């Protein structure tokens, strides 16, 4: 007669159990951003507003202003407003709709889930910026061909750097506010209202204008839009990025990692 013995797996063996691959988590988060009604409408709105802004500028501007650099500038304005909303929704949707329990049951390590959300948002944000550059290029060709526009392609590495950096900071600000508040409506209101109020105060009070570059995010980011940033402007940008993006992001990540999931 033979007996069968059962051995419990050791702790070290269970620790080596493979988790959900990071690539799969990123794909899931991408689908959440695209497949949901709110995410799909937001992406469609970004594309439509960008096309509309470029089209209006194409027919309203003088021929001398129909250049690739000017068309890119036109695309930056609406996208810098709407892209942060994408970052907010990527983080807050599960907490607002209370689906986080399912997500974190399947993948208990919250840091990996949050990293996947950030990565998915960054991928979509990059694709949106590429789309904007493509729209600007098409508009420049059409302006030169049919409206006798300038048609200049002068833009340079500095222009591309400033555009990408501005959109990246806008997206990170949305992610920071969303991670900190974990509520879609509250995060959107705070994102638009608080920086606008601060900018209004600094623009109205003459004695504060000299300090605006160190505190007001809009003031420090303006040189990125016209590609005139240099010298102390980079220090202004670094300071406001710390106040408005890095600190809320760090506090938000800590809060999310320790918050009770209901």
């Amino acid at each position: 007669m033979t007996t069968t013995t059962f051995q419990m797996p050791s702790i070290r063996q269970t620790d080596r159990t493979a988790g959900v691959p990071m690539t799969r988590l990123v794909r899931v988060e991408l689908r959440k951003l695209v497949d949901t009604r709110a995410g799909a409408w937001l992406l469609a709105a970004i594309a439509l507003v960008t096309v509309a802004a470029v089209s209006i500028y194409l027919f309203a501007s003088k021929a001398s202003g129909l250049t690739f650099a000017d068309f890119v500038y036109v695309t930056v304005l609406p996208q810098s407003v709407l892209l942060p909303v994408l970052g907010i929704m990527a983080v807050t949707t599960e907490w607002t709709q209370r689906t986080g329990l399912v997500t974190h049951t399947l993948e208990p390590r919250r840091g990996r889930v949050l990293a996947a959300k950030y990565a998915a948002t960054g991928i979509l944000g990059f694709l949106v910026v590429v789309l904007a550059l493509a729209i600007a290029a098409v508009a420049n060709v059409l302006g030169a061909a049919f409206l006798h526009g300038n048609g200049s392609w002068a833009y340079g590495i500095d222009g591309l750097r400033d555009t990408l950096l501005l959109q990246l900071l806008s997206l990170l600000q949305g992610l920071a506010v969303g991670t900190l508040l974990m509520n879609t409506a509250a995060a959107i209101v705070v994102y638009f209202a608080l920086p606008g109020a601060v900018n209004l105060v600094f623009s109205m009070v003459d004695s504060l204008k000299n300090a605006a570059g160190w505190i007001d995010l809009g003031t420090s980011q303006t040189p990125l839009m016209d590609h005139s940033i240099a010298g102390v402007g980079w220090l202004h940008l670094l300071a406001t990025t710390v106040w408005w993006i890095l600190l809320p992001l760090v506090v938000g990540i800590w809060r999310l990692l320790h918050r009770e999931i209901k």
Side-chain angles (χ1 to χ4, degrees):
M1 181 176 180
T2 61
T3 59
T4 303
T5 59
F6 176 76
Q7 292 184 344
M8 293 292 294
S10 65
I11 295 178
R12 292 184 178 180
Q13 288 174 329
T14 56
D15 285 344
R16 290 195 294 266
T17 302
V20 181
M22 192 64 183
T23 53
R24 187 182 302 169
L25 289 175
V26 174
R27 289 199 303 268
V28 169
E29 295 302 330
L30 279 171
R31 291 200 61 178
K32 288 180 183 178
L33 287 172
V34 176
D35 285 355
T36 59
R37 184 178 301 175
W41 275 109
L42 178 60
L43 292 174
I46 292 175
L48 290 175
V49 170
T50 302
V51 172
V54 171
S55 300
I56 293 172
Y57 182 80
L58 179 63
F59 292 102
S61 177
K62 296 180 180 179
S64 59
L66 300 180
T67 66
F68 179 68
D70 289 323
F71 282 120
V72 173
Y73 178 82
V74 172
T75 66
V76 166
L77 292 176
Q79 289 196 354
S80 61
V81 174
L82 294 177
L83 269 180
V85 180
L86 181 68
I88 290 173
M89 291 176 56
V91 180
T92 60
T93 300
E94 287 189 328
W95 296 96
T96 304
Q97 299 180 358
R98 299 185 181 278
T99 58
L101 183 60
V102 177
T103 299
H104 293 295
T105 299
L106 297 173
E107 175 49 83
R109 290 167 291 186
R110 301 186 193 183
R112 285 171 55 84
V113 175
L114 187 61
K117 291 181 182 294
Y118 287 176
T121 308
I123 292 171
L124 273 184
F126 176 76
L127 293 177
V128 168
V129 173
V130 171
L131 175 64
L133 294 175
I135 293 173
V138 172
N140 192 39
V141 172
L142 294 177
F146 299 104
L147 299 175
H148 307 290
N150 186 304
S152 171
W153 292 96
Y155 193 59
I157 298 298
D158 290 345
L160 182 61
R161 175 204 64 197
D162 294 346
T163 298
L164 292 177
L165 182 58
L166 178 63
Q167 301 296 52
L168 174 63
L169 291 176
S170 299
L171 195 60
L172 284 175
Q173 187 182 2
L175 288 170
V177 176
T179 307
L180 179 63
L181 299 180
M182 288 182 278
N183 181 283
T184 305
I188 291 176
V189 171
V190 169
Y191 170 78
F192 286 108
L194 187 57
V198 171
N199 183 267
L200 182 63
V201 169
F202 278 100
S203 62
M204 293 179 62
V205 182
D206 292 335
S207 59
L208 297 178
K209 288 184 178 179
N210 292 332
W214 297 100
I215 301 173
D216 180 33
L217 189 63
T219 301
S220 67
Q221 289 184 353
T222 298
L224 287 177
M225 300 187 69
D226 56 20
H227 313 305
S228 62
I229 188 168
V232 71
W234 288 108
L235 296 178
H236 289 165
L237 184 64
L238 177 61
T240 55
T241 299
V242 171
W243 313 139
W244 289 93
I245 299 177
L246 293 184
L247 287 179
L249 190 64
V250 170
V251 175
I253 290 174
W254 182 89
R255 181 170 179 243
L256 187 147
L257 294 179
H258 294 83
R259 179 179 177 177
E260 180 184 0
I261 302 176
K262 299 179 181 179

